PDB file of all heavy atoms in Angstrom:
ATOM      1  N   VAL A 110      63.547 -50.493 128.875  1.00  0.00           N
ATOM      2  CA  VAL A 110      62.858 -51.216 129.915  1.00  0.00           C
ATOM      3  C   VAL A 110      62.785 -50.318 131.183  1.00  0.00           C
ATOM      4  O   VAL A 110      63.790 -49.781 131.584  1.00  0.00           O
ATOM      5  CB  VAL A 110      63.580 -52.560 130.184  1.00  0.00           C
ATOM      6  CG1 VAL A 110      62.994 -53.210 131.430  1.00  0.00           C
ATOM      7  CG2 VAL A 110      63.376 -53.518 128.986  1.00  0.00           C
ATOM      8  N   ILE A 111      61.558 -50.286 131.766  1.00  0.00           N
ATOM      9  CA  ILE A 111      61.432 -49.735 133.093  1.00  0.00           C
ATOM     10  C   ILE A 111      61.382 -50.878 134.098  1.00  0.00           C
ATOM     11  O   ILE A 111      60.539 -51.769 133.986  1.00  0.00           O
ATOM     12  CB  ILE A 111      60.135 -48.884 133.261  1.00  0.00           C
ATOM     13  CG1 ILE A 111      60.184 -47.753 132.194  1.00  0.00           C
ATOM     14  CG2 ILE A 111      59.994 -48.326 134.648  1.00  0.00           C
ATOM     15  CD1 ILE A 111      58.828 -46.990 132.116  1.00  0.00           C
ATOM     16  N   GLY A 112      62.438 -50.962 134.919  1.00  0.00           N
ATOM     17  CA  GLY A 112      62.575 -52.072 135.826  1.00  0.00           C
ATOM     18  C   GLY A 112      61.491 -52.324 136.813  1.00  0.00           C
ATOM     19  O   GLY A 112      60.559 -51.453 136.897  1.00  0.00           O
ATOM     20  N   ASP A 113      61.559 -53.419 137.471  1.00  0.00           N
ATOM     21  CA  ASP A 113      60.512 -53.778 138.428  1.00  0.00           C
ATOM     22  C   ASP A 113      61.258 -54.131 139.748  1.00  0.00           C
ATOM     23  O   ASP A 113      62.209 -54.853 139.813  1.00  0.00           O
ATOM     24  CB  ASP A 113      59.806 -55.078 137.914  1.00  0.00           C
ATOM     25  CG  ASP A 113      58.737 -55.585 138.832  1.00  0.00           C
ATOM     26  OD1 ASP A 113      58.366 -54.874 139.788  1.00  0.00           O
ATOM     27  OD2 ASP A 113      58.374 -56.728 138.762  1.00  0.00           O
ATOM     28  N   GLU A 114      60.707 -53.549 140.867  1.00  0.00           N
ATOM     29  CA  GLU A 114      61.343 -53.770 142.202  1.00  0.00           C
ATOM     30  C   GLU A 114      61.341 -55.230 142.539  1.00  0.00           C
ATOM     31  O   GLU A 114      62.201 -55.725 143.345  1.00  0.00           O
ATOM     32  CB  GLU A 114      60.565 -52.994 143.260  1.00  0.00           C
ATOM     33  CG  GLU A 114      60.734 -51.505 143.063  1.00  0.00           C
ATOM     34  CD  GLU A 114      59.855 -50.712 144.023  1.00  0.00           C
ATOM     35  OE1 GLU A 114      59.103 -51.315 144.770  1.00  0.00           O
ATOM     36  OE2 GLU A 114      60.054 -49.494 144.002  1.00  0.00           O
ATOM     37  N   LEU A 115      60.431 -56.063 142.023  1.00  0.00           N
ATOM     38  CA  LEU A 115      60.326 -57.472 142.374  1.00  0.00           C
ATOM     39  C   LEU A 115      61.315 -58.293 141.574  1.00  0.00           C
ATOM     40  O   LEU A 115      61.468 -59.499 141.765  1.00  0.00           O
ATOM     41  CB  LEU A 115      58.928 -57.956 142.177  1.00  0.00           C
ATOM     42  CG  LEU A 115      57.849 -57.267 142.989  1.00  0.00           C
ATOM     43  CD1 LEU A 115      56.423 -57.830 142.611  1.00  0.00           C
ATOM     44  CD2 LEU A 115      58.121 -57.472 144.454  1.00  0.00           C
ATOM     45  N   ASN A 116      62.071 -57.674 140.636  1.00  0.00           N
ATOM     46  CA  ASN A 116      62.972 -58.429 139.766  1.00  0.00           C
ATOM     47  C   ASN A 116      64.274 -57.657 139.699  1.00  0.00           C
ATOM     48  O   ASN A 116      64.554 -56.947 138.781  1.00  0.00           O
ATOM     49  CB  ASN A 116      62.352 -58.504 138.347  1.00  0.00           C
ATOM     50  CG  ASN A 116      63.204 -59.403 137.466  1.00  0.00           C
ATOM     51  OD1 ASN A 116      64.244 -59.812 137.812  1.00  0.00           O
ATOM     52  ND2 ASN A 116      62.656 -59.640 136.287  1.00  0.00           N
ATOM     53  N   PRO A 117      65.071 -57.704 140.811  1.00  0.00           N
ATOM     54  CA  PRO A 117      66.250 -56.957 140.862  1.00  0.00           C
ATOM     55  C   PRO A 117      67.310 -57.223 139.785  1.00  0.00           C
ATOM     56  O   PRO A 117      68.170 -56.409 139.524  1.00  0.00           O
ATOM     57  CB  PRO A 117      66.783 -57.167 142.289  1.00  0.00           C
ATOM     58  CG  PRO A 117      66.190 -58.480 142.676  1.00  0.00           C
ATOM     59  CD  PRO A 117      64.911 -58.550 142.016  1.00  0.00           C
ATOM     60  N   GLY A 118      67.347 -58.388 139.292  1.00  0.00           N
ATOM     61  CA  GLY A 118      68.305 -58.733 138.172  1.00  0.00           C
ATOM     62  C   GLY A 118      67.831 -58.373 136.767  1.00  0.00           C
ATOM     63  O   GLY A 118      68.485 -58.835 135.847  1.00  0.00           O
ATOM     64  N   SER A 119      66.754 -57.621 136.723  1.00  0.00           N
ATOM     65  CA  SER A 119      66.266 -57.339 135.380  1.00  0.00           C
ATOM     66  C   SER A 119      67.181 -56.548 134.463  1.00  0.00           C
ATOM     67  O   SER A 119      67.122 -56.690 133.256  1.00  0.00           O
ATOM     68  CB  SER A 119      64.882 -56.627 135.478  1.00  0.00           C
ATOM     69  OG  SER A 119      65.050 -55.281 136.021  1.00  0.00           O
ATOM     70  N   ALA A 120      68.078 -55.761 134.974  1.00  0.00           N
ATOM     71  CA  ALA A 120      68.971 -54.931 134.192  1.00  0.00           C
ATOM     72  C   ALA A 120      69.897 -55.942 133.428  1.00  0.00           C
ATOM     73  O   ALA A 120      70.168 -55.831 132.184  1.00  0.00           O
ATOM     74  CB  ALA A 120      69.745 -53.956 135.016  1.00  0.00           C
ATOM     75  N   SER A 121      70.440 -56.936 134.119  1.00  0.00           N
ATOM     76  CA  SER A 121      71.313 -57.908 133.479  1.00  0.00           C
ATOM     77  C   SER A 121      70.575 -58.778 132.472  1.00  0.00           C
ATOM     78  O   SER A 121      71.073 -59.015 131.378  1.00  0.00           O
ATOM     79  CB  SER A 121      71.966 -58.856 134.540  1.00  0.00           C
ATOM     80  OG  SER A 121      72.777 -58.078 135.348  1.00  0.00           O
ATOM     81  N   THR A 122      69.318 -59.198 132.851  1.00  0.00           N
ATOM     82  CA  THR A 122      68.514 -59.932 131.893  1.00  0.00           C
ATOM     83  C   THR A 122      68.211 -59.084 130.613  1.00  0.00           C
ATOM     84  O   THR A 122      68.285 -59.590 129.520  1.00  0.00           O
ATOM     85  CB  THR A 122      67.219 -60.358 132.586  1.00  0.00           C
ATOM     86  OG1 THR A 122      67.488 -61.071 133.686  1.00  0.00           O
ATOM     87  CG2 THR A 122      66.381 -61.204 131.635  1.00  0.00           C
TER      88      THR A 122
END
Side-chain angles (χ1 to χ4, degrees):
V110 167
I111 301 171
D113 177 18
E114 292 173 355
L115 300 177
N116 188 354
S119 66
S121 296
T122 304

